[in-house]
Amino acid sequence: MYQFDIAAGSKADLYRDLLAALDALTADERDPIANMANAAALVWEYLPDLNWAGFYRMVEGELVLGPFQGKVACIRIPVGKGVCGAAAATLTTQLVEDVHAFPGHIACDAASRSELVVPVTKDGVLVAVLDLDSPEPARFDAEDAAGCAALAALLGERLRG
């Protein structure tokens, strides 16, 4: 159905191509769950060294599991708890090189060693967090955080319905 030419070059090229692909996937779709599902699949397919990629949606004051790729996951996360909860509480990206050193880390998958969580907002209101886990320590860097923030910003604009 969709085939994307995702660069195998620099990380900047990779995120530029992922953003263009996400733009194409979500441009005409109104359903937020469908858009999150395709975003999770896109990230899972093209970002290396992940063991989980997906979303937790803000539902009635707590984070609730949304579309994802990877092993089964925790279903509900209180705001302020764990890496996802910290991102939700502060509306700031959480880049964690060693999840075992993060106070209150929630271990949904014991194989996860590092994590990147990016808030997804619409009109300044949190609607979800994009959560990426890796079995590699320090897998994520500032370039990953910036690239995923761009993906989250585009997705936030597309969440309607």
Side-chain angles (χ1 to χ4, degrees), residues 102-157:
F102 189 89
H105 172 250
I106 300 168
C108 296
D109 181 354
S112 293
R113 299 287 307 277
S114 59
E115 190 167 2
L116 175 64
V117 181
V118 181
V120 179
T121 62
K122 180 165 180 67
D123 301 325
V125 175
L126 182 72
V127 293
V129 296
L130 169 60
D131 181 18
L132 306 180
D133 292 359
S134 174
E136 302 294 323
R139 156 62 183 90
F140 306 104
D141 61 18
E143 205 168 0
D144 293 301
C148 288
L151 296 173
L154 175 64
L155 190 60
E157 293 173 11

Side-chain angles (χ1 to χ4, degrees), residues 23-155:
D23 185 34
L25 284 169
T26 61
D28 296 322
E29 180 51 56
R30 299 186 52 85
D31 186 82
I33 300 298
N35 284 335
M36 284 187 266
N38 265 337
L42 184 70
V43 167
W44 177 258
E45 183 173 354
Y46 290 106
L47 289 185
D49 302 319
L50 299 181
N51 62 332
W52 204 90
F55 294 89
Y56 280 90
R57 302 171 301 115
M58 180 58 84
V59 178
E60 298 178 1
E62 68 181 333
L63 295 171
V64 178
L65 183 64
F68 71 93
Q69 301 284 314
K71 291 182 179 181
V72 297
C74 301
I75 295 174
R76 294 180 184 272
I77 298 174
V79 172
K81 301 290 184 184
V83 182
C84 289
T90 63
L91 293 181
T92 59
T93 296
Q94 302 291 307
L95 193 159
V96 180
E97 293 183 353
D98 178 3
V99 295
H100 301 296
F102 189 89
H105 172 250
I106 300 168
C108 296
D109 181 354
S112 293
R113 299 287 307 277
S114 59
E115 190 167 2
L116 175 64
V117 181
V118 181
V120 179
T121 62
K122 180 165 180 67
D123 301 325
V125 175
L126 182 72
V127 293
V129 296
L130 169 60
D131 181 18
L132 306 180
D133 292 359
S134 174
E136 302 294 323
R139 156 62 183 90
F140 306 104
D141 61 18
E143 205 168 0
D144 293 301
C148 288
L151 296 173
L154 175 64
L155 190 60

